Amino acid sequence: MTDIKKEDLLDALRKVKGPSLEGDIVSLGMVSEIVIQGDSVVFSLSVDPEKAQELEPMRQAAERVVKAVPGVNNAMVALTADRAPGSAPPKTNGGGPPRHQPPAGEMAPPPPMAGQAPPERQIAGVPGVKAIVAVASGKGGVGKSTTAVNLALAFSANGQSVGILDADIYGPSMPRLMGLTGRPEPVDDKILKPMEGFGVKVMSMGFMVDEDTPMIWRGPMVMSALTQMLREVAWGELDILVVDMPPGTGDAQLTMAQQVPLAGAIIVSTPQDLALIDARKGLNMFRKVDVPVLGIIENMSYFSCPKCGERSEIFGHGGARFEAEKLGIPFLGEIPLEMEVRRRSDAGQPIVVSDPESPLAEIYREIAEAAWAQIDGEGGAVSKPAPRIVIE
Ligand code: ADP
C-alpha cells in the first residue's frame, strides 16, 4: 500500500478554487487538519454557512482530487462553519467575528450547518427506504448498540430487508459487532456501496477510520458525515434502516434527530432508576422534534443463571415497563443480562444469527415483531406519513 503524504494531498487540493474562484482552497486557509488513516483521508473545509449549499460542488471537487492521489481509496470531506485550528480565517465569512472553537473532544452545539435545510424546508426521505428508525438511549453503556444490532438482525430474520446506519460517529461499534472489516467500495464518483453482513447492509464511520482513532468532530462535520452516510450510500430497497444513535440527549443528538427523516425512535434503557430518568430525557428529545417514540426496550432486565436457568432480578426489573405504561408508550420487551450476549458481540457474532435457536434470539425476534407492528401496523409510523419536521 502506498503511504499517503499530506503534502501530496495539499498539492492536489491546491487545484481546487475557492468560493469566489479566486485563489485555491489551501491558500485561502479553508482546509482543516487532514486525518490520514490507512487508505482513507478525512478533513473539512471551512465555509460561510450561508453559502454551504452552493459550495457543495467545491466539496465534491476536493473529494475528487484527493481520491485521485495514489494510495487514497476513501475520502470524506465535510463542509464546516468552524475555523480549523491554526489556519487563516476563512475569507468567506465576510470578516465576521471568529466562531467559538470547542476544545478537542468536546461536542459543539449545533451551529448553522453545512447542508442545513433553509428554514421551514422539510427533510426528504431516502428513496427506496420505507422506514428509518433510531435506536437511542439517554446515556452510554446501557447496551444500545448491542440491542440495535440484534434487533436489526431480528427484523431481518422476521423477513424484513434491513440496513444499519451507525450514527455513533464518536464511538462507531458496528464493524466490531457485525464482525466486518474492509472499506465500502465506491459505486460511482459519489455513492458508496454499503458493507454487508448476515444479509444486512451496514454503513459506519468505523469503516473509514479505525475504531480506536479518536476523531474530533465539530457540530457541522457530524451532520455532514451523517448526511453522506444516509444519502450517498446505495442502500437499495429497504423495509427498515436502523440508526444506532450516539448515546445521550445533547445538542448533537437533537440535531441528528432533526436532520434524519425518522419514522420513529426506540429507546433502550436499563431498569435502574437513574437510567430511566435518562430514558425520559430521550423521550422528551424525540418529542421535541416530533418523532414518535415506538417503544421502550428494557435491556439487562434480569439475570438468568447460566447453570440453573433461574431468573434473578438484581436490578429492580420492570422499571422500564412501569415507566412506559405511565408515559403511554408501548413497552416492546425485556432482554436479560446474559454473558453469551456480550461474548458473542465481542466476537462479531451477534446472538440472533450465531445461536438463532436460543431463547435470547427468540426474545429479540419477538421485540422486533412488536416494534414492526408499531412501524408497519395499522396507524403505524409507515402507514401514516411521518410528521414533517420543521427546522427553526
Ligand atoms: P451502549 O451502546 O449503550 O454504549 P453497548 O451496546 O456497547 O452499550 O453495551 C455495553 C456493554 O454491555 C457491552 O460490553 C455489551 O456486550 C454488554 N451488553 C449489552 N447488552 C447486554 C446483555 N443483554 N447481556 C449482557 N451484556 C450486555
Side-chain angles (χ1 to χ4, degrees):
M1 195 171 65
T2 330
D3 266 351
I4 303 167
K5 293 201 189 61
K6 205 158 157 184
E7 259 323 301
D8 294 345
L9 298 174
L10 289 171
D11 279 348
L13 287 168
R14 283 193 188 96
K15 287 184 231 148
V16 181
K17 291 222 179 336
S20 51
L21 301 179
E22 276 170 32
D24 65 88
I25 57 175
V26 178
S27 329
L28 288 168
M30 296 172 67
V31 179
S32 74
E33 191 189 335
I34 301 179
V35 179
I36 303 168
Q37 262 290 310
D39 58 2
S40 299
V41 174
V42 183
F43 61 94
S44 64
L45 299 175
S46 304
V47 298
D48 177 349
E50 310 227 309
K51 301 218 175 99
Q53 299 273 347
E54 58 194 86
L55 293 179
E56 175 59 19
M58 183 184 78
R59 188 193 71 76
Q60 285 176 23
E63 217 165 71
R64 212 164 36 237
V65 295
V66 163
K67 271 192 196 154
V69 171
V72 178
N73 206 12
N74 279 299
M76 168 83 86
V77 182
L79 295 181
T80 155
D82 277 329
R83 192 147 63 84
S87 65
K91 302 275 180 351
T92 49
N93 71 354
R99 291 184 179 284
H100 162 71
Q101 192 72 51
E106 188 186 298
M107 247 181 225
M113 273 169 302
Q116 181 177 350
E120 309 237 337
R121 212 184 73 172
Q122 298 172 339
I123 330 171
V126 176
V129 180
K130 211 162 154 189
I132 304 178
V133 172
V135 175
S137 64
K139 62 164 194 170
V142 301
K144 171 188 54 61
S145 298
T146 309
T147 306
V149 74
N150 279 296
L151 193 62
L153 292 165
F155 280 127
S156 173
N158 289 348
Q160 278 96 43
S161 50
V162 183
I164 303 175
L165 198 173
D166 185 358
D168 192 350
I169 55 164
Y170 299 94
S173 52
M174 280 307 147
R176 180 172 46 89
L177 293 176
M178 291 286 286
L180 289 170
T181 51
R183 310 264 185 234
E185 297 284 323
V187 175
D188 60 30
D189 230 17
K190 214 174 157 208
I191 307 290
L192 289 178
K193 191 165 169 263
M195 303 290 281
E196 200 162 328
F198 311 112
V200 164
K201 292 177 178 155
V202 190
M203 191 60 200
S204 167
M205 269 315 283
F207 296 130
M208 316 296 274
V209 288
D210 288 341
E211 215 178 296
D212 46 10
T213 305
M215 289 237 8
I216 302 160
W217 291 95
R218 291 182 203 99
M221 267 178 91
V222 170
M223 284 321 306
S224 192
L226 184 69
T227 306
Q228 285 176 61
M229 287 201 291
L230 188 67
R231 302 191 184 276
E232 293 176 16
V233 167
W235 289 111
E237 298 285 321
L238 293 182
D239 289 318
I240 181 162
L241 179 63
V242 174
V243 180
D244 184 18
M245 294 281 285
T249 52
D251 287 331
Q253 289 82 347
L254 186 69
T255 313
M256 276 194 185
Q258 262 176 335
Q259 294 279 309
V260 177
L262 291 171
I266 293 172
I267 311 272
V268 179
S269 171
T270 55
Q272 290 95 324
D273 255 343
L274 185 66
L276 286 176
I277 292 167
D278 287 318
R280 218 168 311 153
K281 281 194 210 147
L283 296 177
N284 288 337
M285 175 175 87
F286 287 108
R287 283 201 172 137
K288 237 189 250 175
V289 292
D290 256 346
V291 172
V293 173
L294 305 173
I296 297 186
I297 298 174
E298 189 174 87
N299 187 38
M300 311 198 216
S301 182
Y302 53 91
F303 178 70
S304 53
C305 170
K307 290 206 184 90
C308 61
E310 198 190 324
R311 186 171 154 145
S312 48
E313 282 156 21
I314 43 181
F315 303 123
H317 143 257
R321 181 189 290 273
F322 178 72
E323 192 68 19
E325 271 166 19
K326 225 169 67 184
L327 295 165
I329 287 163
F331 182 71
L332 298 175
E334 46 200 42
I335 302 158
L337 176 87
E338 249 193 57
M339 280 311 125
E340 254 330 82
V341 172
R342 171 173 301 191
R343 200 182 60 75
R344 287 177 190 263
S345 286
D346 286 348
Q349 292 286 325
I351 194 153
V352 167
V353 284
S354 60
D355 191 2
E357 302 301 319
S358 62
L360 236 325
E362 176 62 26
I363 289 174
Y364 280 115
R365 286 193 300 267
E366 280 170 9
I367 292 178
E369 206 175 312
W372 186 245
Q374 293 298 325
I375 298 162
D376 201 37
E378 213 176 304
V382 167
S383 63
K384 61 174 184 243
R388 286 286 145 214
I389 298 159
V390 175
I391 294 151
E392 287 163 8

